[in-house]
Amino acid sequence: MTSAPTSGDAENKTAVIILLGPSGMTTARTLKKAIGDAEIHGAATRLEAADVERTFDDIGAHLRGLFSARHPLLVLAAAAIPIRLLAPLLQDKRDEPPVLAIAEDGSAIVPLLGGHHGANDLAKLVGDALGRAPAITTAGDLRFGLALDQPPAGWRIADPETVKPITAALLAGKPVGLGVETAVGDSAWLTRLREISRIDAEPRILITDLASPTPPGTLVYHPQTLALGVGCERGTAPDELIALVEDTLAHHRLAMGAVAAVVSIALKAAEPAIHALAEHLGVPPRFFDAETLAKEKPRLANPSDLVFKETGCHGVAEGAALSAVGKGGDLIVQKTKSTRATLAIARGSSVIDPAAIGQHQGRLAIVGIGPGSSGWRSPEADQQLAASDHWVGYLGYLDLLGDVADVKRHGFALGEEEARAKEALNLAAGGASVALISSGDAGIYAMASLVFELLDRSDDPAWQRVDVTVAPGISALQAAAARSGAPLGHDFCAISLSDLLTPWTVIERRLQAAAEGDFVIALYNPASERRRQGLASAISILSEERPPSTPVIIARNLGRDGEAIDVVELQALDQERVDMMTLLIVGSGQTRMAPRLHGRPFVYTPRGYGNAHSVDGSERPIGRRSA
């Protein structure tokens, strides 16, 4: 099997072939076979789900989600389609995955984005499979087989403005020198540079992890061979740690661009100062457990028994730096202190791959996927899903998302909400990127509150170090309202009729208060096969305060197959039609049901009570039942 080339990109994400219609299926299958680690995703309206790994309703949201998660993309469509859809996300060309536009019949192959991460190499692989020459336009690639402004992952250009004159000199046949001051190991990139250069010529290409003055016109590459080991007290100000690092790098004439990662002990995985430093340097933070750092004791310059008593290792900063560079690396800056932080620097014998050392801070995204349709799923939710290695949720919700390569699904039955939340937290505590799936909005009768409750009552330090975020989704009440008009145009509330977690006496009191307050009321979990009395009681309470003609929206299977929306009067509500897949919205005393010439009536609640009139123009009483 051949993986999609990524020029050393450590992420090795599965390539995704985007297919908009059946006419490109032959080409798509040829590409999938050639690349090996690839999936075909197709437009749901034009392709059968059985023919592709995944379908999508909204190509824009789907494409942007995959791009944000750094999947190589092969779009079988006109080049203008991915250009327009991805344009809002384009910021730094050094951080873009490969994006290729390919004609459906395979007659044209155009690398659009991601030259820094293997787009041209991927285009050549595709060209070989299709028997076509890709439209590679970069001069360096055409002439020398590499582009000087597109170094592989782990290399940085000190000054991008120096690329053009060096490239121009090479294209003109003039000699260009090469100096290598830093051990970078075996590298096809370095081999090719040596083949096109001379040792003693000027201008010169220089490979170094030092911040040394260079002659004008020198093209400097900084291979990322340095690991910054840091430690700090809880709550250390980010500015203090950043200043310590910048001052130490400058004192030792080390290039900031040569830093590969900020590393520390797992106990500090949630420390804001460490993450602020990593963001400031544009590198990932990585963390080691105490047992790993303890193994570095023989190589520490400043072992400390006090540190061992507190952390389980004899040195955090030095130990983390040495763990990052491995046995072939050396400690080049011993532990250096500020008031509340420490720093040590180690140099590797080759470019450091951050993904191969330590672990990420655990990440848990609690994602609301909306009622079910991908068209109602937010771009943020798609991005969080695409960035996660594990999906945890109720089996029915996971089935709505389908199977995706690179993602491990953890399915649970109804009623196992706490088990789901604990599984997600445990996975994230181990350094994984996890999405905990909720339908609708994750914070409305869903998983978010349970996660935060578990965190609040837990003394597990590993859980406390997890980075938790919530991605909102379209709630069932919003979806039902949108399908039926604008019933939530004035004050409204939501009440769950399930008494599994809330005593019925509390639910009853809230229903009475909402009815008396003349709120529009969304009733969640209105009835199940065994639980019917609660709905009958709720309707009785509301009927005491609402006129019989009050509109009631019955919404079932919102955004899914079998969706049904109906509007009836309160007096005509058939409770047998209501189950756990149903949401009810009961209007206030001001809510109106307006007939239409075609289709069901629309429902709305006027924004102001001063304009609250019945259909015949008479004023309506507020908050009390009337005929």
Side-chain angles (χ1 to χ4, degrees), residues 19 70 79 98 109 117 124 135 154 206 214 226 292 317 350 364 419 486 593:
L19 191 57
R70 304 180 57 78
I109 306 156
H117 293 281
K124 293 172 186 175
L206 179 62
T214 57
L226 304 181
T292 298
S350 60
L364 174 57
M593 178 166 54

Side-chain angles (χ1 to χ4, degrees), residues 60-426:
H62 191 62
L63 206 61
R64 287 188 287 269
L66 292 168
F67 182 86
S68 297
R70 304 180 57 78
H71 286 273
L73 299 174
L74 299 88
V75 184
L76 273 63
I81 291 177
I83 289 173
R84 290 194 180 103
L85 293 177
L86 296 176
L89 303 183
L90 303 185
Q91 296 180 353
D92 184 354
K93 69 178 183 178
R94 293 172 178 78
D95 196 37
E96 297 166 354
V99 179
L100 277 60
I102 302 170
E104 287 188 334
D105 62 359
S107 61
I109 306 156
V110 184
L112 300 175
L113 300 168
H116 290 274
H117 293 281
N120 290 341
D121 291 339
L122 181 57
K124 293 172 186 175
L125 176 62
V126 169
D128 290 342
L130 299 177
R132 300 281 182 175
I136 295 174
T137 58
T138 49
D141 278 279
L142 292 172
R143 181 79 173 270
F144 306 114
L146 85 169
L148 294 178
D149 66 341
Q150 298 176 3
W155 296 66
R156 285 184 172 179
I157 302 171
D159 181 4
E161 295 300 320
T162 58
V163 173
K164 293 180 181 179
I166 296 292
T167 301
L170 288 170
L171 292 172
K174 297 179 180 178
V176 170
L178 176 66
V180 181
E181 296 182 351
T182 302
V184 292
D186 294 329
S187 165
W189 167 264
L190 181 58
T191 298
R192 191 69 188 112
L193 286 178
R194 284 178 171 141
E195 291 172 351
I196 65 172
S197 62
R198 297 181 184 177
I199 294 177
D200 56 352
E202 294 288 346
R204 192 164 74 123
I205 298 170
L206 179 62
I207 298 172
T208 181
D209 59 14
L210 298 176
S212 304
T214 57
T218 301
L219 171 56
V220 177
Y221 291 108
H222 293 310
Q224 292 179 291
T225 58
L226 304 181
L228 303 186
V230 298
C232 61
E233 296 177 16
R234 182 179 300 176
T236 297
D239 288 347
E240 178 181 341
L241 186 56
I242 291 171
L244 173 64
V245 168
E246 290 185 339
D247 292 346
T248 303
L249 289 172
H251 178 76
H252 293 273
R253 297 175 44 247
L254 294 168
M256 194 177 296
V259 175
V262 173
V263 291
S264 190
I265 191 169
L267 292 171
K268 296 296 179 182
E271 194 61 48
I274 293 177
H275 291 278
L277 171 63
E279 183 177 358
H280 178 73
L281 297 174
V283 299
R286 305 291 289 184
F287 301 94
F288 298 92
D289 56 46
E291 292 77 12
T292 298
L293 299 190
K295 295 176 182 177
E296 296 295 340
K297 181 182 178 183
R299 296 206 291 167
L300 300 182
N302 300 281
S304 168
D305 290 336
L306 178 59
V307 172
F308 178 78
K309 290 179 181 179
E310 294 178 351
T311 67
C313 68
H314 286 83
V316 170
E318 291 184 353
L322 287 167
S323 294
V325 300
K327 294 182 179 179
D330 298 301
L331 189 67
I332 60 173
V333 177
Q334 297 182 17
K335 181 171 69 174
T336 303
K337 297 180 180 181
S338 64
T339 303
R340 305 185 68 195
T342 59
L343 165 68
I345 304 175
R347 174 186 284 135
S349 58
S350 60
V351 172
I352 298 170
D353 177 3
I357 60 173
Q359 67 179 37
H360 292 287
Q361 177 191 21
R363 173 184 163 276
L364 174 57
I366 310 170
V367 180
I369 62 171
S373 168
S374 62
W376 275 349
R377 199 161 62 233
S378 74
E380 181 189 8
D382 278 330
Q383 291 170 10
Q384 295 284 15
L385 291 171
S388 299
D389 302 316
H390 299 263
W391 290 352
V392 180
Y394 166 54
L395 280 166
Y397 303 156
L398 295 180
D399 288 342
L400 290 173
L401 297 173
D403 291 316
V404 178
D406 297 336
V407 174
K408 185 174 181 181
R409 300 184 356 154
H410 305 259
F412 291 80
L414 282 174
E416 297 181 324
E417 285 80 7
E418 186 164 330
R420 282 183 242 165
K422 288 180 176 179
E423 175 77 354
L425 284 166
N426 286 333

Side-chain angles (χ1 to χ4, degrees), residues 433-457:
S433 293
V434 183
L436 179 59
I437 313 300
S438 287
S439 68
D441 181 272
I444 300 178
Y445 301 121
M447 297 301 297
S449 61
L450 178 55
V451 169
F452 290 114
E453 180 183 351
L454 289 173
L455 289 171
D456 182 37
R457 70 186 194 212

Side-chain angles (χ1 to χ4, degrees), residues 25 40 42-56:
M25 182 60 75
I40 302 174
T45 55
R46 302 189 63 192
L47 291 156
E48 296 294 329
D51 294 330
V52 297
E53 279 82 3
R54 185 177 175 185
T55 59
F56 54 83

Side-chain angles (χ1 to χ4, degrees), residues 558-579:
L558 287 160
R560 307 173 191 172
D561 291 340
E563 175 181 288
I565 307 289
D566 198 7
V567 181
V568 300
E569 292 183 344
L570 180 60
Q571 63 186 351
L573 175 64
D574 181 0
Q575 297 181 29
E576 294 303 315
R577 298 176 56 189
V578 179
D579 59 16

